[in-house]
Amino acid sequence: MTEVNSPPRVGRWTRLVTARPRLSLLAALVLTLLAVLAGSGVADRLGAGGWEDPDAESTYATKALEREFPDSQPNLLLLVDAGDASVDDPAVAAEAKRLTARLTAEKDITGVGSYWSVASPALRAEDGHEALIAARITGDEKQMGETLDRVAPSLRGTHGPVKVEIGGIVAVRHEMQTIIQEDLTRAEMIALPITLLLLVMVFGSAIAALLPLGIGIVAILGTNAVLRGLTEFTDVSVFAMNLTTALGLGLAIDYALFIVRRFREELATDADTLTAIGTTLRTAGRTVLFSALTVAVSLAAMLLFPQYFLRSFAYAGMAVVLLAATAALILLPAALILLGHRVNSLDLRKLFGRGAPKRTEAQDGGTAWARTATLVMRRAPFFALGTTAVLVLLGLPFLGVKFGTADDRQLPASAESHVVQQHLRDGFPGSPGGGLEVLAEGRATPAQYASYKERIAALPEVLRVDGPLVKGGSAYFTVQPRGEAVDAGAQRLVGELRSTKAPFDTKVTGTAAVLVDSKHAIGDRLPWAAVFITIVTLLLVFLLTGSVLIPVQAVLLNALSLTAMFGAVVWVFQDGHLSGLLGFTSPGSIETTLPVLMFCVAFGLSMDYGVFLLSRIKEEYDRTGNHEEAVRHGLQRTGGLITAAAVILAVVMVAIGTSRVTNTKMLGLGIALAVLMDAMIVRSLLVPAVMRLTGGATWWAPAPLRRFHERFGLSEGGAELSRGGGPDRHAAPPRGATSDDVQTEENGEGMADASGDLRTIRRTSGGT
């Protein structure tokens, strides 16, 4: 039955989060302080690797070599520069031998060798002025970093006639970890004041602007505590610290922005504070929860991949998204109930003589968005085809993507370990430190080893074969490819070595082998991840809208919104365009796991904004039954807000993108581009155009699915017409009902007002 002008009652969730607001905020303050303590030192516990498949052949071989031949894989390189002299000069050789002896005496360092001790041409530069000392630092990643910090100061610098610089994979990863930590602090210092300025521009009121920023800071501090806790159970990539901090800040601000905006909108309808909070949680609050679930689902897809680089983003990302939503749905209502109408205090627009606006916030700029929606729907075929063509065109460079592995070129050109590795690439034969190792298991005779060595030495991509070194029933060969460590030739060589017959079991490892296995692992699991994201997204959007067509549209349009990001990633970071302006060195490839990570994150964020737009369109369609008016109304009410939220999140991601590490720069700038393209192109132009073309069929669902949605579905309004006497919820309301007086009875359970606690909802044109 329908009731008119009956005041809404407060639901259980509203009562719960507003019953003792001061106590809630005090508890939040205590928990935040504990999070500060718990999250301290988290960066020192994060790893800089995680790109390899733990179940791959290369991983097995690496662990076996570390166990049986601990000196086989040097991870520390000392580049000894003799200046104008030759490395064979007696004074240079004597000093190099003293350095070798000093390094040999250090604790936790094994397998020390040098050009001067083994006379290997691979350890001597082609011009004769540089040579290498190689060693292996033992222990886990944290222990290796501590050992490097201990020994590096006494080795680095000028020693008599030579100058020493430090490189190797340990130095690369340690320097990367240090730079990322420094860059993250700088990014926060950049993002926070700019974000505050943007929030002030959106809200006008300084008080209203500080609320989302406060929630964002709580999310950042909570993020660090979450990451610290995760390191007790699993490996976590240091790159996760950048992204999860950005997501924690960006999403917390987005969610708080939507809630504060809706709360002020309700206050503008002369609702009392408690009623405004209740309506806000039923509408924007429920959508925030639903939106957080869609982002978490996209991030959860990375759990299907074996690399801990990706899995760490899934663990940390899901935790951070839910943390941001929790802070926005519990702490923010407590603050708003205490502030009430004071949320509009300190209107900074008065400083410029504008004064407080008389219209509701939703109406500010709404006319322009309404005109945009009208224009787009009037020329729907043009906008649908035009924007699709532009997005596809922007994504074309991705067809030429080349996948590689993260190496020293992720670091700034001035980084010491990058300088050393670049010297190796430019001046040394083969690829020192980047060769392939072939593990031979099973006893064999010297003649069998020699025969096998001849076969692999004859392969076209092989420059040189060293070994075998035999120990018990195992041996290993070192194979130097002709080109770089991970170029196409080295990757072909991995396959050739694995297919070469031998009288013993062979396993191939090395940088190129790890890359080949990583590409295989991702390619094998990528379809499953895509199916998982697609199915869960379809289900969630159906629960929100009750439509069969809208979920399909959402998945396709979200995927289309990412084309510009992927095209830009290849054009800029692989092909090197704008590398001088952005300050990075292009390795000529894209790290294999990065596109997967960027897709999961950007797809989730696109769904985040899509949910806010679709929920408002659905709410209006349920109220009026007018499809075009619902689309126009939805864009009018959310267009400016989604754009503001996207700009704020993009600011955070661009701040992350100022990092000196290329992968982090690519991640930040790429996702920022995807967010802006989604908000300003897809949500503003493509969605209304496509929905206009699909017309009334947009909301169709077969009877069984419609009954399923009526029983289990959600909506932003959190209300349905009474089953006993209301009209079909997909039809227009009775002509006598107006936008100011329509009320419906709630159906089902929702986050904001569970178990039917709220039975009637007064809908107003300003509030819905």
Side-chain angles (χ1 to χ4, degrees), residues 201 274 579 763:
M201 293 173 62
L274 190 58
S579 58
R763 304 230 179 168

Side-chain angles (χ1 to χ4, degrees), residues 56-62 64-65 69 436-444 448-456 459 465 468-469 473-479 493-510 513 517:
E57 174 184 319
S58 57
T59 305
Y60 171 85
T62 298
L65 288 171
F69 305 96
L436 296 169
E437 288 86 26
V438 180
L439 173 67
E441 294 182 308
R443 295 187 179 277
Q448 288 174 319
Y449 284 134
S451 175
Y452 177 72
K453 182 176 180 178
E454 289 178 1
R455 284 199 295 274
I456 60 177
L459 295 174
V465 181
L469 182 62
S474 301
Y476 82 91
F477 301 82
T478 300
V479 182
L493 179 57
V494 171
E496 293 169 355
L497 289 172
R498 288 175 173 172
S499 62
T500 300
K501 293 183 178 180
F504 33 71
D505 291 332
T506 61
K507 300 287 189 297
V508 181
T509 187
D517 290 340

Side-chain angles (χ1 to χ4, degrees), residues 546-743:
S547 163
V548 171
L549 187 58
I550 289 179
V552 176
Q553 289 179 355
V555 170
L556 294 178
L557 298 187
N558 279 7
L560 189 61
S561 72
L562 307 184
T563 54
M565 175 185 73
F566 285 123
V569 160
V570 170
W571 191 77
V572 175
F573 292 96
Q574 175 183 293
D575 298 342
H577 299 101
L578 307 181
S579 58
L581 177 64
L582 297 177
F584 69 91
T585 300
S586 172
S589 62
I590 302 298
E591 200 283 315
T592 313
T593 59
L594 257 294
V596 176
L597 171 62
M598 296 178 74
F599 173 83
C600 291
V601 174
F603 188 90
L605 294 175
S606 296
M607 279 304 305
D608 186 47
Y609 297 129
V611 164
F612 281 104
L613 175 59
L614 290 174
S615 62
R616 207 62 185 261
I617 293 174
K618 174 67 165 58
E619 184 181 349
E620 181 67 9
Y621 182 74
D622 281 349
R623 188 177 69 83
T624 67
N626 186 319
H627 174 68
E628 290 190 28
E629 181 58 33
V631 174
R632 183 181 297 105
H633 178 91
L635 189 61
Q636 177 182 358
R637 290 301 179 88
T638 64
L641 194 56
I642 288 175
T643 301
V647 169
I648 290 172
L649 183 56
V651 165
V652 177
M653 298 309 304
V654 168
I656 295 295
T658 62
S659 174
R660 292 165 288 170
V661 176
T662 304
N663 270 359
T664 306
K665 187 186 296 291
M666 179 169 63
L667 190 65
L669 297 181
I671 293 178
L673 176 62
V675 166
L676 292 176
M677 292 295 293
D678 181 74
M680 297 182 177
I681 303 298
V682 175
R683 303 298 153 205
S684 301
L685 302 178
L686 193 54
V687 169
V690 170
M691 293 190 78
R692 170 63 180 83
L693 291 175
T694 54
T698 301
W699 305 100
W700 177 84
L705 289 180
R706 180 176 298 187
R707 288 192 294 270
F708 178 84
H709 182 263
E710 289 172 351
R711 182 175 178 83
F712 301 105
L714 300 171
S715 65
E716 183 177 77
E720 308 287 355
L721 290 173
S722 169
R723 293 184 189 175
D728 186 345
R729 59 192 300 268
H730 292 280
R735 293 184 180 275
T738 68
S739 64
D740 292 319
D741 297 321
V742 173
Q743 298 181 343

Side-chain angles (χ1 to χ4, degrees), residues 26 77 169 229 362 404 529 533 617 628 636:
L26 179 60
L77 299 176
I169 189 170
I533 290 178
I617 293 174
E628 290 190 28
Q636 177 182 358

Side-chain angles (χ1 to χ4, degrees), residues 74-80 103 132-137 148 151-152 155-156 164-175 408 411 415-424 432-433:
N75 53 23
L76 177 66
L77 299 176
L78 271 60
L79 179 67
V80 180
L103 191 59
L132 293 174
I133 300 173
R136 180 169 184 81
I137 301 179
L148 182 64
V151 303
L155 297 172
R156 180 185 292 117
V164 176
E165 292 178 292
I166 298 177
I169 189 170
V170 169
V172 170
R173 290 186 174 182
H174 189 60
E175 197 162 8
D408 60 283
L411 296 170
E416 181 184 31
S417 57
H418 183 176
V419 171
V420 170
Q421 298 301 124
Q422 193 62 46
H423 275 258
L424 299 185

Side-chain angles (χ1 to χ4, degrees), residues 311-326:
R311 295 176 70 88
S312 62
F313 281 102
Y315 293 131
M318 288 189 295
V320 166
V321 168
L322 297 179
L323 177 66
T326 300

Side-chain angles (χ1 to χ4, degrees), residues 200 253 545 591:
V200 169
I253 289 176
T545 63
E591 200 283 315

